[in-house]
Amino acid sequence: MIEILIQGIRSVCSVISLLLILMLCNTNSFAESSFTQETMKLRLTDGVHLGTDIFLPATGKNFPAILIRTPYGKFQKIEFAEFWARHGYAVVLQDTRGKWTSEGHYIPFKNEEKDGLETLDWIVQQKWSNGKVGMFGSSYLSFCALTLAAAKHPALKSIFNISGWLKGGKINTPGGAVHLMLALPWILHEETLKRRSLNDYELEDLFYHLPLKNVFASIGVESKLWSEPEIIMELNKHLSAADIDVPIFHITGWNDFVYASALDIYTTVRDHSQKPQKLMIGPWFHDQYYSDYTGAGDEDFGEASKMGADKLQDLSLRWFDYTLKGIENGITREPVAEVFIMGKNKWQTFQQWPPAEIAFQKWYLSSESGANSLNGDGRLLPDPTARDAMDSIIFDPENPVPTNGGANFHFLLDIVGVKDQRDIEEREDVLVYTSAPLPGTIEIAGPLKVVFYAATEGPDTDFTAKFVEVRENGYARIIEEGIIRARHRNSLDSEEMLEPGKVYQFTIDLGATAIAIKKNHRLRVEISSSNFPKYDRNPNTGVFPFEATELKPVRQQVYHGKSFPSHILLPVINKSLSLIEDEGD
């Protein structure tokens, strides 16, 4: 604030007047606006040097430190470092091994525990350190922080975590399928390129390449992460979020592809630690947090949803002031969870997440006429129908259902966020089940899942599900979606092939949401077998999809009725479980 004041006064006052005003300013406030900066190479025990910047307040001797470790270039966080240094924190920015100013070979995620622990050891040995360290970051940066918290370094006392995770399975292989739209472009952009551009590659051709295991070799690119996927599968296997025992401010967004893993971190740490945990969930997509942009896909969520770098700085400062300096600023007396309710476009606070106020409703799949329905012109009903029925589609992996909207990878912004599903619902390989118009507003907040019964012609296949809001004008707004690879239907850690033609129960995790669906709008569930290129295609042959060179069409059969109570489970904020009548109706 003092710098803004000085800038304004300089334009209208003389030098003498400015000096007089400076003399009247609070001495401590002026000191907090000054800092020093040093760039160095931190030597690790294996001889690798990591590029490191140190920002120190201009006055004082010992400070709590804030550490950021990043593969994306430490220069991107200089503004944050300067802000914290002005407010009495030592700040350490560091490029991870093999990236930007740091030496060594970069293998994504692999060395962050070792290198991070050594960096923390170094920080607490410095004469300017008071022994307390906080960490800040989003995505990979938060992964670095959470890894060190799970490793229980004693100096790490606080984390400001934006869409972070500890283990990559739920992000990279949701439901057992490969998150292709994330893995392929991210590896190209971050592991294998020096100039950070994808313009030389036709991503669509690469998505369709068979076998997938050779896709990087086909363009003359070597990827350790792609050729040795066990790096991801074994990532932090020895660490557990249940071992994290530091206060954390958790932030994520409903359109962020990491949000499900971020919520898992929050709930696991909350359940196993006595340290304060805070949660904020907005409507944002990945890294939207740093901007003032308020849209996601077709929808603008309004001024109330705006975050931006300034607000992030202020929130993090309040958190670190309390957790690292012991300043009682009331942050832990505020409600635990602050959640953006889409549809209302308003924030709502809860004392826990998922909210204690929810009760679960089942909405059942049904054929329109009670008989078999080839293309699934179906109904979504609050009670199951008495008669059993079956709907059938042909899943041809050569012609997969295209990805359009949802919590997708932010490199491909044209298909991220709120999108209309009507074109997709016209396909013959998509089953559609729709409720009657709602008599009142229904508010949904919490985890979603679809449980259904199905059979296929082959030894393995995929099933996908999508939860959709149908507005009065017909717009079919995607809310959430998910996938299950049949061989992983019982466990993501083991495989059980199918008996062709046999009916099995499947559960698809749709993540979570917070949305108000208005009167006269309708609920809809889509069932299909692909969502491409978000997920890799199942060849339906039993061959491991990563290695498959041939794809085979198969008939899929989805069952519902008294013997097969296929349904979506919705967490409704309404104790009576009846629909909430709108005010004035």
Side-chain angles (χ1 to χ4, degrees):
M1 290 299 295
I2 189 66
E3 291 181 343
I4 297 174
L5 177 63
I6 291 172
Q7 183 178 0
I9 293 173
R10 184 178 289 121
S11 63
V12 295
C13 297
S14 66
V15 173
I16 294 176
S17 297
L18 178 60
L19 291 174
L20 288 173
I21 291 173
L22 288 175
M23 291 174 63
L24 295 174
C25 287
N26 181 282
T27 303
N28 291 333
S29 178
F30 180 72
E32 286 182 352
S33 70
S34 302
F35 61 88
T36 62
Q37 179 180 354
E38 175 189 356
T39 297
M40 62 165 294
K41 295 284 189 180
L42 175 59
R43 188 180 187 277
L44 302 177
T45 54
D46 61 1
V48 170
H49 292 82
L50 302 184
T52 306
D53 290 344
I54 306 165
F55 299 76
L56 298 176
T59 59
K61 293 182 179 179
N62 304 110
F63 315 100
I66 298 173
L67 170 64
I68 294 179
R69 306 192 66 252
T70 176
Y72 303 128
K74 56 185 170 61
F75 64 89
Q76 293 190 2
K77 292 296 181 281
I78 288 177
E79 179 184 347
F80 280 78
E82 293 176 347
F83 172 82
W84 291 318
R86 291 189 186 103
H87 288 84
Y89 291 89
V91 184
V92 179
L93 304 184
Q94 187 176 80
D95 289 328
T96 57
R97 177 185 295 249
K99 298 292 284 186
W100 300 92
T101 64
S102 290
E103 299 172 353
H105 179 58
Y106 179 60
I107 301 175
F109 312 107
K110 188 172 184 179
N111 295 296
E112 308 314 347
E113 181 185 0
K114 171 189 175 297
D115 295 353
L117 290 174
E118 290 193 28
T119 300
L120 287 175
D121 287 342
W122 176 84
I123 289 174
V124 298
Q125 293 168 4
Q126 303 311 298
K127 61 182 181 180
W128 43 259
S129 170
N130 72 357
K132 296 180 179 180
V133 182
M135 292 189 71
F136 173 95
S138 59
S139 195
Y140 196 113
L141 287 64
S142 282
F143 165 83
C144 291
L146 294 167
T147 295
L148 301 185
K152 290 186 169 295
H153 194 287
L156 184 54
K157 302 297 185 182
S158 178
I159 295 175
F160 197 86
N161 162 37
I162 307 170
S163 281
W165 73 96
L166 185 65
K167 299 180 181 180
K170 202 159 193 175
I171 301 171
N172 296 290
T173 54
V178 173
H179 191 163
L180 185 62
M181 197 170 72
L182 162 67
L184 197 154
W186 189 88
I187 288 173
L188 267 180
H189 195 258
E190 293 300 335
E191 183 187 0
T192 65
L193 291 182
K194 299 298 183 183
R195 56 188 178 84
R196 299 168 63 89
S197 174
L198 297 174
N199 293 332
D200 293 343
Y201 302 100
E202 293 292 338
L203 283 180
E204 184 173 359
D205 292 342
L206 297 181
F207 288 141
Y208 275 97
H209 186 86
L210 294 177
L212 266 178
K213 69 176 184 179
N214 293 339
V215 65
F216 283 95
S218 72
I219 53 174
V221 170
E222 181 181 355
S223 165
K224 190 81 169 176
L225 200 60
W226 193 262
S227 62
E228 299 181 27
E230 60 271 15
I231 292 175
I232 286 290
M233 302 309 295
E234 299 296 319
L235 182 65
N236 280 345
K237 203 166 187 178
H238 63 295
L239 298 178
S240 171
D243 293 330
I244 295 177
D245 191 28
V246 299
I248 304 177
F249 197 119
H250 307 256
I251 295 180
T252 192
W254 294 126
N255 290 291
D256 189 326
F257 69 93
V258 181
Y259 88 81
S261 291
L263 291 181
D264 280 354
I265 290 289
Y266 163 72
T267 55
T268 303
V269 177
R270 176 203 64 193
D271 291 345
H272 291 87
S273 173
Q274 297 300 311
K275 304 294 173 56
Q277 307 293 312
K278 295 278 289 182
L279 177 65
M280 175 182 284
I281 315 171
W284 311 297
F285 55 79
H286 201 65
D287 278 356
Q288 187 176 355
Y289 317 93
Y290 295 103
S291 77
D292 293 335
Y293 186 59
T294 57
D298 295 343
E299 195 130 329
D300 190 317
F301 293 99
E303 285 295 307
S305 70
K306 185 182 294 185
M307 177 58 84
D310 290 346
K311 186 174 180 180
L312 274 181
Q313 289 174 355
D314 292 340
L315 279 173
S316 66
L317 182 63
R318 288 190 70 209
W319 187 248
F320 288 135
D321 278 351
Y322 174 76
T323 55
L324 295 179
K325 291 185 177 181
I327 297 174
E328 183 52 68
N329 53 24
I331 194 166
T332 57
R333 295 195 299 272
E334 298 167 1
V336 169
E338 187 174 5
V339 179
F340 193 85
I341 309 295
M342 298 176 291
K344 294 169 64 174
N345 288 355
K346 294 181 179 179
W347 291 94
Q348 188 165 335
T349 58
F350 302 98
Q351 287 303 326
Q352 67 181 58
W353 180 267
E357 297 88 339
I358 64 172
F360 285 94
Q361 287 186 3
K362 290 181 179 179
W363 287 76
Y364 294 89
L365 278 57
S366 172
S367 293
E368 178 72 26
S369 62
N372 293 354
S373 174
L374 178 62
N375 298 122
D377 183 18
R379 298 287 305 278
L380 197 61
L381 303 173
D383 297 297
T385 54
R387 178 176 176 175
D388 293 337
M390 178 271 291
D391 299 325
S392 175
I393 57 173
I394 300 295
F395 164 41
D396 182 359
E398 293 278 11
N399 180 27
V401 177
T403 300
N404 185 34
N408 297 330
F409 188 44
H410 62 302
F411 277 21
L412 305 172
L413 276 178
D414 58 327
I415 51 176
V416 170
V418 179
K419 293 291 182 181
D420 190 351
Q421 304 304 300
R422 282 178 289 186
D423 288 346
I424 287 174
E425 291 166 354
E426 291 177 358
R427 292 174 57 108
E428 293 188 351
D429 55 356
V430 178
L431 298 170
V432 179
Y433 304 89
T434 309
S435 75
L438 297 175
T441 296
I442 183 171
E443 294 189 23
I444 298 167
L448 307 165
K449 66 178 179 180
V450 171
V451 179
F452 65 102
Y453 297 81
T456 184
E457 293 179 327
D460 185 36
T461 193
D462 290 344
F463 287 102
T464 61
K466 195 178 295 179
F467 181 42
V468 174
E469 171 195 7
V470 186
R471 297 170 178 169
E472 290 185 89
N473 63 359
Y475 185 98
R477 181 243 202 261
I478 183 173
I479 298 175
E480 291 295 340
E481 56 77 32
I483 191 170
I484 187 70
R485 183 144 288 169
R487 67 174 72 199
H488 292 297
R489 65 194 179 278
N490 294 321
S491 171
L492 296 181
D493 296 325
S494 62
E495 297 184 2
E496 297 178 52
M497 305 306 281
L498 300 174
E499 179 183 330
K502 181 178 178 179
V503 179
Y504 294 87
Q505 178 180 304
F506 297 92
T507 298
I508 297 182
D509 182 358
L510 298 188
T513 193
I515 188 169
I517 301 179
K518 297 178 180 179
K519 178 181 178 179
N520 292 327
H521 293 199
R522 292 175 290 165
L523 310 178
R524 177 171 288 168
V525 171
E526 299 174 16
I527 302 291
S528 189
S529 287
S530 53
N531 183 350
F532 182 82
K534 182 164 186 173
Y535 308 116
D536 66 327
R537 298 169 291 169
N538 197 310
N540 298 320
T541 61
V543 174
F544 186 48
F546 201 64
E547 300 174 350
T549 57
E550 296 182 3
L551 307 177
K552 177 184 177 182
V554 292
R555 180 173 296 278
Q556 315 284 55
Q557 297 174 326
V558 175
Y559 293 80
H560 42 75
K562 184 177 181 180
S563 304
F564 306 102
S566 298
H567 63 272
I568 185 170
L569 194 64
L570 300 180
V572 178
I573 302 179
N574 180 14
K575 293 181 181 178
S576 70
L577 287 184
S578 61
L579 295 177
I580 305 170
E581 292 294 336
D582 289 333
E583 293 183 7
D585 287 347

